[in-house]
Amino acid sequence: DAKTTQPTSMDCAEGRAANLPCNHSTISGNEYVYWYRQIHSQGPQYIIHGLKNNETNEMASLIITEDRKSSTLILPHATLRDTAVYYCIVKALENTGNQFYFGTGTSLTVIP
Amino acid sequence: DAGVIQSPRHEVTEMGQEVTLRCKPISGHNSLFWYRQTMMRGLELLIYFNNNVPIDDSGMPEDRFSAKMPNASFSTLKIQPSEPRDSAVYFCASSNRDNRQPQHFGDGTRLSIL
């Protein structure tokens, strides 16, 4: 699976949009982009995933560039409860299994 | 719906003792994963099962660790004998075997070996 690169940390003002970038320049055509987050003392929580098209759900939006070499997770109106470590993962469907490889992620702090 | 349930939430024991961590996956999920998280190494996959069968245990650190899944609704991770370096948070996750489906994690077991 392709490696990902994320900033170590970011701050965002409460109520503003949080834009979390992820580089995955070696992504293959069959690899999806997944985002998870981990709030302190809890297990990782699935947020969203996509292949080529932009995706939106009740938690966030995922913007994938046309060349698929990078993506951005957008939390439209960040709240204090969005403070967490956010993981960007790319994974191929053809892997033997369903394992995800978590990197170090981005530690997002939402500031009042 | 109930999520992935892990027990105990916290475990403190002395080195050399046997430790058993338990996991109940989400009903209907047929893949189950055990992870370990430490500050030094982050989140690491230890082993995963498909349809109760262990598929890849290459992440299991050594023979002191063993995992079983006797049925679709229960799994255990056992450490015998335990050592201080096993101290970590252990997470269980489950998903449908469709590789596009996300994994759903439990809240973990925080293990401290004295």
Side-chain angles (χ1 to χ4, degrees), chain B residues 7-14 17-22 87-88 108-114:
Chain B
S7 64
R9 287 298 312 275
H10 303 274
E11 175 90 11
V12 180
T13 191
E14 293 185 346
Q17 298 297 308
E18 178 178 291
V19 173
T20 300
L21 311 181
R22 298 173 176 79
S87 298
T109 295
R110 185 173 296 275
L111 178 64
S112 296
I113 308 297
L114 306 179

Side-chain angles (χ1 to χ4, degrees), chain B residues 33-71:
Chain B
F33 308 81
W34 282 101
Y35 290 84
R36 177 173 67 175
Q37 187 170 36
T38 62
M39 288 292 291
M40 291 293 293
R41 302 174 66 92
L43 198 61
E44 303 174 282
L45 178 68
L46 300 177
I47 185 172
Y48 75 94
F49 296 82
N50 281 341
N51 296 319
N52 312 338
V53 177
I55 302 300
D56 184 355
D57 65 354
S58 59
M60 297 283 264
E62 47 196 274
D63 292 344
R64 297 184 297 106
F65 286 68
S66 62
K68 294 182 179 180
M69 193 165 184
N71 57 61

